[in-house]
Amino acid sequence: EERRRDYVKLAKEKTEEARVGIRNTRAEAWNSIKKAKIDGEISEDDMYYGESELQKVVDSYNKKLEEIFLQKEKELLEV
Protein backbone atom coordinates (compact mmCIF):
# COMPACT_ATOMS: atom_id res chain seq x y z
CA GLU A 1 0.00 0.00 0.00
CA GLU A 2 2.75 2.42 0.95
CA ARG A 3 4.68 1.50 -2.17
CA ARG A 4 1.64 2.26 -4.30
CA ARG A 5 1.35 5.70 -2.71
CA ASP A 6 5.01 6.32 -3.48
CA TYR A 7 4.32 5.49 -7.12
CA VAL A 8 1.36 7.88 -7.17
CA LYS A 9 3.57 10.57 -5.68
CA LEU A 10 6.18 9.90 -8.36
CA ALA A 11 3.52 10.07 -11.08
CA LYS A 12 2.33 13.39 -9.66
CA GLU A 13 5.90 14.76 -9.77
CA LYS A 14 6.35 13.62 -13.37
CA THR A 15 3.01 15.20 -14.28
CA GLU A 16 4.13 18.49 -12.78
CA GLU A 17 7.43 18.29 -14.70
CA ALA A 18 5.44 17.81 -17.90
CA ARG A 19 3.28 20.85 -17.05
CA VAL A 20 6.40 22.94 -16.55
CA GLY A 21 7.64 21.77 -19.94
CA ILE A 22 4.34 22.77 -21.53
CA ARG A 23 4.52 26.20 -19.88
CA ASN A 24 8.10 26.70 -21.10
CA THR A 25 7.15 25.73 -24.63
CA ARG A 26 4.16 28.08 -24.50
CA ALA A 27 6.42 30.92 -23.38
CA GLU A 28 8.83 30.24 -26.24
CA ALA A 29 5.99 30.14 -28.78
CA TRP A 30 4.46 33.34 -27.38
CA ASN A 31 7.84 35.09 -27.59
CA SER A 32 8.13 34.00 -31.22
CA ILE A 33 4.67 35.39 -31.94
CA LYS A 34 5.52 38.70 -30.25
CA LYS A 35 8.82 38.91 -32.14
CA ALA A 36 7.00 38.34 -35.44
CA LYS A 37 4.65 41.21 -34.52
CA ILE A 38 7.55 43.51 -33.64
CA ASP A 39 9.35 42.58 -36.87
CA GLY A 40 6.21 43.44 -38.82
CA GLU A 41 5.70 39.89 -40.10
CA ILE A 42 2.20 39.64 -38.62
CA SER A 43 -0.52 42.09 -37.65
CA GLU A 44 -1.71 42.75 -34.11
CA ASP A 45 -4.91 40.82 -34.88
CA ASP A 46 -2.82 37.85 -35.99
CA MET A 47 -0.78 38.13 -32.82
CA TYR A 48 -3.86 37.88 -30.61
CA TYR A 49 -5.31 35.13 -32.78
CA GLY A 50 -2.04 33.23 -32.39
CA GLU A 51 -2.19 33.74 -28.65
CA SER A 52 -5.70 32.34 -28.40
CA GLU A 53 -4.86 29.35 -30.62
CA LEU A 54 -1.72 28.72 -28.60
CA GLN A 55 -3.74 28.77 -25.38
CA LYS A 56 -6.24 26.29 -26.85
CA VAL A 57 -3.41 23.88 -27.66
CA VAL A 58 -1.88 24.30 -24.21
CA ASP A 59 -5.24 23.72 -22.52
CA SER A 60 -5.78 20.61 -24.64
CA TYR A 61 -2.42 19.14 -23.64
CA ASN A 62 -2.92 20.02 -19.98
CA LYS A 63 -6.29 18.28 -20.05
CA LYS A 64 -4.77 15.16 -21.67
CA LEU A 65 -2.00 15.19 -19.09
CA GLU A 66 -4.49 15.38 -16.23
CA GLU A 67 -6.56 12.54 -17.71
CA ILE A 68 -3.48 10.35 -18.03
CA PHE A 69 -2.44 11.10 -14.46
CA LEU A 70 -5.90 10.34 -13.05
CA GLN A 71 -6.02 7.07 -14.99
CA LYS A 72 -2.56 6.08 -13.77
CA GLU A 73 -3.43 7.04 -10.18
CA LYS A 74 -6.54 4.88 -10.30
CA GLU A 75 -4.55 2.01 -11.82
CA LEU A 76 -1.85 2.26 -9.15
CA LEU A 77 -4.27 2.38 -6.22
CA GLU A 78 -6.29 -0.59 -7.43
CA VAL A 79 -5.84 -3.61 -5.24
Side-chain angles (χ1 to χ4, degrees):
E1 180 69 29
E2 185 177 329
R3 186 96 168 132
R4 291 174 185 269
R5 286 197 179 112
D6 289 343
Y7 282 134
V8 169
K9 186 176 180 180
L10 180 63
K12 192 174 281 192
E13 290 172 7
K14 294 296 182 183
T15 301
E16 187 55 35
E17 288 176 18
R19 283 190 184 114
V20 169
I22 291 170
R23 282 195 296 269
N24 290 339
T25 302
R26 177 186 60 194
E28 290 172 15
W30 178 235
N31 287 337
S32 295
I33 292 170
K34 288 193 298 188
K35 185 177 182 323
K37 164 66 171 91
I38 290 170
D39 293 345
E41 296 172 12
I42 61 172
S43 68
E44 191 167 340
D45 287 343
D46 289 339
M47 181 181 79
Y48 288 114
Y49 176 75
E51 179 185 26
S52 69
E53 289 300 306
L54 176 61
Q55 190 59 46
K56 287 177 189 176
V57 171
V58 168
D59 291 343
S60 169
Y61 276 99
N62 279 330
K63 183 179 178 188
K64 287 178 187 176
L65 193 59
E66 186 64 23
E67 289 171 358
I68 291 168
F69 169 72
L70 292 174
Q71 179 182 352
K72 183 53 79 175
E73 181 182 39
K74 180 180 175 185
E75 181 183 315
L76 288 169
L77 293 177
E78 248 177 36
V79 177

